[in-house]
Amino acid sequence: MKRKLVLICSIALIFAIGVFTGCGDSSDSGEAQADEDQFPVTIEDNDYFTLELTGVDDFWGDYQIQLTNKTDKDFNFNVEKVVANGDRTLDVFLYIEAAAGTKATDTVTFLSEDMDDYEKGDKINLDMDYTLVDPETYDDISSGTVNFDITKQ
């Protein structure tokens, strides 16, 4: 039983090492860039919301996201598509319910299979398509693309 537990923990650790970490902060190019240990990093700031990467879970590689609703209305933030380096669509799910004038947090995970073609240290440019939706009427409030860089660890 003890050997099985050690084996399971070892496999989980190997999986976690395969998941990348790191991200960026704002630069003059309009993209978010920085060293992987600089948090929080604002990746979008507009009339509706501020979106920040606030950290990375060292074990699983999940990115902690904080969304600040800058409006007086509730909305849902839904990520529809993430494209890496302009040519690879990633399987990502991110849905955040944001009450008016509040901050909401969630995590986003990039699956290891999506990252298999990238080597440790590769900078990966991400385009994240999102839609803001009114939770009562389901009407689109706004949509756009957030662009930022991460580094595979």
Side-chain angles (χ1 to χ4, degrees):
M1 181 66 179
K2 197 173 193 179
R3 284 186 177 183
K4 286 183 182 180
L5 181 60
V6 170
L7 179 61
I8 290 169
C9 289
S10 297
I11 291 170
L13 180 60
I14 291 168
F15 174 78
I17 290 170
V19 178
F20 62 96
T21 61
C23 68
D25 69 359
S26 296
S27 71
D28 293 337
S29 69
E31 298 175 1
Q33 303 179 43
D35 293 329
E36 56 273 358
D37 57 356
Q38 289 186 297
F39 293 106
V41 176
T42 301
I43 59 174
E44 179 71 358
D45 190 13
N46 59 40
D47 292 339
Y48 296 101
F49 64 88
T50 300
L51 187 65
E52 295 177 302
L53 294 175
T54 57
V56 174
D57 179 297
D58 291 331
F59 186 74
W60 295 111
D62 296 339
Y63 284 87
Q64 287 85 40
I65 303 273
Q66 179 171 282
L67 179 90
T68 303
N69 182 342
K70 295 164 55 174
T71 72
D72 59 356
K73 297 183 180 192
D74 297 350
F75 62 72
N76 298 329
F77 178 87
N78 181 36
V79 171
E80 299 173 357
K81 179 172 77 169
V82 177
V83 176
N85 294 333
D87 64 357
R88 183 178 185 129
T89 301
L90 307 180
D91 288 324
V92 173
F93 176 78
L94 181 61
Y95 177 84
I96 302 174
E97 295 177 354
T102 64
K103 294 180 180 184
T105 58
D106 206 337
T107 58
V108 62
T109 301
F110 299 100
L111 301 177
S112 60
E113 335 39 274
D114 287 337
M115 297 292 121
D116 286 346
D117 292 341
Y118 303 106
E119 299 294 327
K120 181 177 179 177
D122 284 353
K123 187 168 279 193
I124 303 167
N125 180 260
L126 299 176
D127 290 316
M128 184 169 67
D129 294 345
Y130 70 88
T131 302
L132 301 183
V133 178
D134 183 308
E136 293 179 15
T137 65
Y138 301 104
D139 292 334
D140 289 355
I141 298 170
S142 178
S143 62
T145 301
V146 175
N147 179 274
F148 58 103
D149 292 331
I150 57 174
T151 303
K152 182 171 181 184
Q153 297 297 309

